[in-house]
Amino acid sequence: MCGIAGFCDFTSKVSNRYEQAKIIAGKMGNTLAHRGPNDSGTYIGEHVAFAHTRLAVIDLIGGAQPMVITQGERIYTVVYNGELYNTSDIKQDLLVKGYHFTTQSDTEVLLTAYIEYGEKCVDHFNGIFAFAIWDSYLRKCFLCRDRFGVKPLFYSVKDNVIVFASEIKALFQYPGIRPIVNQYGLCELFGLGPARSPGCGVYEGINEVMPGFAATIDYSGMRLYPYWTLKGEDHEESYEESVEKTRELLIDSISRQLVSDVPICTLLSGGVDSSVVSAIAANVLREQGKTLDTYSFDYYDNSKYFKASKFQPSEDRPYVDIMQKTIGSNHTYLECGSQELYDYLFHAVRAKDLPGMADVDSSMLYFCRKVKDKHTVCLSGECADEIFGGYPWFRDEDAMKTNAFPWSKDLSVRKNIMSKDLLSKIPLDEYVKSQYEKTIARTPCLLGEDGNEKRRREISYLNITWFMTTLLDRKDRTTMASGLEVRVPFADHRLVQYVYNVPWKYKYHNDVVKSLLRDSMKGLIPDEVLYRKKSPYPKTYDPAYENLLKVELNKIIDEGNSPLLELIDLKSVRQLISLSSDYGKPWFGQLMATPQMYAYLIEIDYWIKHYGVQIKL
C-alpha cells in the first residue's frame, strides 16, 4: 500500500516549470509519508506532476514508483496505491501477448495491462486500488478507484488544474486549495457524519472519485464515469447450490489475499466474520509450513464494566480463546486504556482529515500501531454484515417502513445539540433526505420487483454504498496512518455481486442471521463461534472514559473561545453531559451512543482549530 498525489494541467506545460512542479508534488507526497514509509519519488511529465510514497509489500526491491515504461516514443507512467490479487493471471495473459517484465511487482503488471487494454484494463483487475496513469502518446491522465472504495482517491479543481491525492491533507499543499466548509459540508458533518455522501469530501471544492468510477483528463477537461456497478439479476440456484458457491468464492478470495513478501496476520475478534477469515488463512499457511499470527482488541478492565445490550450481547474474549485453540495461531491480545483512547481521538482526526467515528477510530488507530510493530499486512473480516444482512436493521420492521438511513433513522439527537441559528441557516433535513433518495433511486432492482424483497434490496444497497464505505474509509486511514496494509476479502467484487442477488430467504434461512455465510462455513470453525450472536467491534464501558470526555467537553465550553460554540446549543449540550448515558440507543450505527457524541464534538473542535477550517455560511 502507498500514498499517491499529483496534479494534471492542460492550461500549460508542466514540464516547462519543472522545478516548481517538483517542489509542489514533493510537498504533497511528504504529507503522505505515513502511508509509504519505505520509499518516495516524483515524476514530472508534459502535463502532469506525480508523487508517490511506498509501503513495500510485493517485490521489495523492484516495485519502486513512479514507474515508467517506454515503448518507442510512447511513455507511460503510473502512481498506484493498492494490491492486485490476480496479478499472476493477468501477467500470464500479457506474457502470451508478447510482453516482457523486469520486476515481480503488481505495479508493472497494472501499467502493462493499461498499455495493452487501455481504460478497459480495470475490467481485468481483482483487487483494491487507486491509481493515476500518464499516457504521453494520447496526452491524457487516467484516474481510477476500486469497485468498493477500499483505497481512497480525492481530487479538487483549481484554476482548471485537476489536483488528486490519497488523502485530503495532500490537496492542501497545492497553492490556493484551502480548508473551507460551507452549509452543505455542515449538513454532512451534523446530518450524515461520520458517514459521507458518495463522492463528497466535506470541504468546499473537494470531491472523491466514487467507488467503481474512473476519470480521464485531457485537453477537453475531466470526464468521470462508472466502469463497474452492482447489477440486479435473477437468482435461480437452490439454497444448497448458493451455499456451495459462496464457500467457493470466499475461500478463493481469502487465499488470493494471502500473497505477500512481508509478514502477514489477521484481526481475530472471535466473531463469525473474522473467525472465517482467520481459519481459512491458517489452513493456507499451514500447507506452506507456516503458522498464522492473529490479534484481538479489547480495553483494560472491560469485563468488569461490560453491559450486555441488544447491539452488543456478549464479550469477545471467550470466543477468541476458542478460535485460537482451534486454528493454532500465534495470538496477541491487545488492550487500550481510557487515556490512550482519548488521546488518540486527535491522532484519528489528523489521519482522516475530518471528524470520524470517535473512539471507534481512535482505538483502531492505537491497536494498528501495535500490530505494525511486527506486521505490515493484515486481513480483516469487514464488509460481511453489509452483504450477508448481519446488522439488526436488516430485520427491523421500523427500518423496512421508514424512508431514512437505517443506521441513523432519527436526527433528533443531532439536531438537539446544534445551535438554533445554525439550524436556521443550513437545509439539514432536506439535505439528508435528498442524499437518501438519490441512493434509493440508484438501487439496482429487478423488473417488477416490489414489496419486502425490493425494500431488502434497497437496504442492502444503502449498506454497501454508505455504511460499508464508512467502515472501509475508517479502516484505510487508521491502518495506513501506521504504515499497515489491511485487506478485506469479503469486499471481493465477485462475492458481493453474487450475494447481492441471493434472495433474503437464503440469507435468513430458517430464521438464522447470515445463514448463507454460516452454512457455507460449516465444519471450518466450531459451532459455538459459527452460530454466535453478532457482537460488533468492541467499545469500552469503563466510566472513566466517559467521565474524561465530559470533563474535556466542559473545558471547551467553559473556555468560551472555541469555534465549536457557534455550532452547538450550549444549554442542550450541558444537559446532555449531565445525564446518565444510554449505551443501547446509538445515534449512528451500533456503537455511537451518548459518549461518542461527546467525543465527536471534541473532534470537531480540534479539527476546526488544527486545520484552520473556515466556516462559510
Side-chain angles (χ1 to χ4, degrees):
M1 294 304 167
C2 308
I4 66 172
F7 57 91
C8 186
D9 183 1
F10 277 92
T11 65
S12 63
K13 287 191 175 184
V14 175
S15 54
N16 287 346
R17 51 186 195 278
Y18 180 92
E19 290 300 329
Q20 179 193 38
K22 186 177 179 67
I23 290 172
I24 295 173
K27 286 181 177 179
M28 295 179 73
N30 287 342
T31 66
L32 304 175
H34 52 278
R35 297 185 69 92
N38 301 127
D39 198 7
S40 64
T42 57
Y43 171 84
I44 310 300
E46 183 181 9
H47 290 290
V48 298
F50 287 170
H52 186 269
T53 61
R54 187 185 185 210
L55 178 66
V57 173
I58 301 291
D59 193 353
L60 308 188
I61 298 175
Q65 296 184 51
M67 182 175 284
V68 180
I69 294 179
T70 302
Q71 291 190 341
E73 296 182 356
R74 301 184 180 190
I75 301 172
Y76 304 92
T77 308
V78 66
V79 282
Y80 159 54
N81 167 32
E83 206 76 57
L84 294 185
Y85 303 132
N86 62 337
T87 298
S88 59
D89 298 337
I90 301 170
K91 188 173 185 178
Q92 185 57 44
D93 289 342
L94 293 170
L95 286 169
V96 171
K97 294 179 183 295
Y99 289 93
H100 300 281
F101 295 87
T102 59
T103 75
Q104 298 301 311
S105 71
D106 58 341
T107 305
E108 186 180 11
V109 172
L110 183 148
L111 184 54
T112 305
Y114 171 82
I115 294 170
E116 171 63 22
Y117 302 114
E119 294 174 27
K120 293 293 183 181
C121 64
V122 70
D123 295 339
H124 298 260
F125 299 158
N126 179 329
I128 52 179
F129 48 81
F131 62 83
I133 292 175
W134 168 243
D135 184 332
S136 71
Y137 178 70
L138 296 178
R139 284 189 170 84
K140 74 173 181 180
C141 185
F142 179 53
L143 301 179
C144 192
R145 190 178 181 206
D146 65 68
R147 295 168 180 85
F148 296 111
V150 180
K151 293 289 101 184
L153 184 56
F154 293 93
Y155 72 94
S156 186
V157 182
K158 183 66 179 177
D159 300 326
N160 294 316
V161 177
I162 310 300
V163 189
F164 66 89
S166 296
E167 296 180 12
I168 294 171
K169 58 175 64 67
L171 300 181
F172 292 144
Q173 296 301 309
Y174 188 86
I177 297 180
R178 298 286 180 261
I180 299 170
V181 173
N182 60 27
Q183 60 177 335
Y184 302 116
L186 291 172
C187 286
E188 289 281 330
L189 283 172
F190 285 99
L192 297 168
R196 287 186 287 111
S197 299
C200 177
V202 179
Y203 297 94
E204 184 176 76
I206 291 181
N207 304 288
E208 191 171 20
V209 175
M210 293 204 301
F213 270 65
T216 56
I217 307 163
D218 56 22
Y219 290 105
S220 63
M222 181 177 187
R223 181 176 71 91
L224 278 160
Y225 64 93
Y227 67 84
W228 187 88
T229 58
L230 279 173
K231 294 182 174 61
E233 299 173 332
D234 288 315
H235 187 85
E236 299 178 350
E237 296 172 342
S238 67
Y239 181 70
E240 292 71 24
E241 290 171 329
S242 301
V243 165
E244 185 55 37
K245 181 66 173 179
T246 299
R247 182 182 180 90
E248 173 191 321
L249 287 170
L250 192 48
I251 290 176
D252 182 69
S253 175
I254 295 169
S255 300
R256 285 179 181 273
Q257 297 190 25
L258 290 169
V259 176
S260 174
D261 291 337
V262 294
I264 197 165
C265 64
T266 67
L267 307 182
L268 175 60
S269 71
V272 176
D273 312 330
S274 66
S275 295
V276 164
V277 172
S278 298
I280 294 173
N283 288 342
V284 172
L285 292 183
R286 193 177 298 114
E287 292 176 357
Q288 301 171 6
K290 302 175 183 177
T291 300
L292 177 69
D293 293 320
T294 54
Y295 290 86
S296 62
F297 309 147
D298 209 340
Y299 305 89
Y300 295 128
D301 295 327
N302 221 28
S303 294
K304 179 180 176 182
Y305 300 108
F306 177 77
K307 297 175 183 177
S309 69
K310 66 177 181 179
F311 289 109
Q312 204 134 27
S314 61
E315 293 184 87
D316 286 337
R317 180 65 180 259
Y319 298 94
V320 172
D321 292 342
I322 293 170
M323 282 305 302
Q324 188 276 326
K325 292 176 183 176
T326 299
I327 65 177
S329 65
N330 294 321
H331 189 76
T332 301
Y333 297 94
L334 296 175
E335 291 185 314
C336 179
S338 295
Q339 188 63 52
E340 293 93 344
L341 193 58
Y342 173 77
D343 291 342
Y344 271 75
L345 288 173
F346 309 105
H347 293 282
V349 171
R350 296 196 300 272
K352 195 174 181 179
D353 302 317
L354 289 165
M357 294 184 74
D359 44 82
V360 184
D361 285 354
S362 65
S363 59
M364 178 61 75
L365 183 55
Y366 175 82
F367 291 133
C368 285
R369 290 194 174 171
K370 298 297 183 183
V371 174
K372 176 61 179 178
D373 287 343
K374 295 183 179 179
H375 291 84
T376 302
V377 180
C378 64
L379 271 66
S380 171
E382 240 91 9
C383 305
D385 286 313
E386 287 84 355
I387 66 173
F388 286 100
Y391 292 121
W393 46 78
F394 276 94
R395 304 173 302 282
D396 181 5
E397 286 301 318
D398 190 37
M400 292 288 288
K401 300 172 184 175
T402 305
N403 290 320
F405 294 105
W407 52 85
S408 186
K409 298 192 296 289
D410 184 3
L411 298 182
S412 60
V413 173
R414 299 165 178 265
K415 292 167 67 175
N416 189 52
I417 58 98
M418 295 172 63
S419 78
K420 303 302 181 284
D421 182 57
L422 178 60
L423 274 172
S424 69
K425 292 179 178 177
I426 65 174
L428 189 83
D429 290 295
E430 296 88 343
Y431 187 88
V432 173
K433 181 181 179 183
S434 171
Q435 297 304 322
Y436 169 82
E437 290 178 345
K438 286 178 183 177
T439 308
I440 293 298
R442 292 195 299 265
T443 304
C445 295
L446 295 178
L447 188 64
E449 191 173 44
D450 57 16
N452 284 346
E453 197 63 30
K454 181 181 180 182
R455 182 56 181 163
R456 300 274 188 210
R457 194 183 286 272
E458 289 173 347
I459 291 176
S460 177
Y461 189 68
L462 284 166
N463 274 270
I464 291 169
T465 55
W466 280 81
F467 204 76
M468 189 167 98
T469 53
T470 300
L471 297 186
L472 290 172
D473 181 69
R474 157 189 173 248
K475 186 59 72 74
D476 174 83
R477 292 321 178 280
T478 55
T479 55
M480 292 305 293
S482 312
L484 177 69
E485 175 189 320
V486 67
R487 298 174 178 176
V488 277
F490 282 104
D492 185 298
H493 70 279
R494 301 166 303 162
L495 177 67
V496 179
Q497 172 62 47
Y498 180 78
V499 177
Y500 178 71
N501 288 294
V502 172
W504 178 251
K505 64 182 180 181
Y506 286 3
K507 296 175 186 176
Y508 198 48
H509 189 62
N510 291 332
D511 294 336
V512 174
V513 177
K514 288 161 62 174
S515 56
L516 179 64
L517 172 61
R518 297 180 200 270
D519 288 348
S520 71
M521 293 292 115
K522 273 185 178 177
L524 184 71
I525 60 178
D527 282 356
E528 56 204 303
V529 176
L530 189 63
Y531 292 100
R532 175 192 177 190
K533 285 187 177 180
K534 175 176 174 53
S535 193
Y537 179 83
K539 63 192 285 185
T540 183
Y541 289 86
D542 187 344
Y545 175 65
E546 183 177 347
N547 291 334
L548 180 57
L549 293 174
K550 288 183 176 182
V551 168
E552 296 302 327
L553 186 54
N554 269 321
K555 281 183 184 177
I556 292 171
I557 293 173
D558 293 340
E559 285 172 0
N561 58 2
S562 166
L564 176 68
L565 303 186
E566 296 182 5
L567 305 176
I568 63 173
D569 183 271
L570 290 180
K571 181 179 178 182
S572 297
V573 172
R574 287 189 189 277
Q575 183 179 18
L576 188 69
I577 294 173
S578 69
L579 298 175
S580 298
S581 296
D582 186 345
Y583 287 82
K585 292 183 178 179
W587 53 273
F588 181 88
Q590 302 172 90
L591 299 175
M592 298 189 71
T594 307
Q596 286 67 44
M597 179 59 80
Y598 305 150
Y600 192 59
L601 293 177
I602 290 169
E603 284 196 329
I604 291 175
D605 172 73
Y606 175 77
W607 165 68
I608 295 173
K609 293 174 181 175
H610 180 76
Y611 285 84
V613 176
Q614 177 187 343
I615 304 296
K616 179 181 172 184
L617 290 172

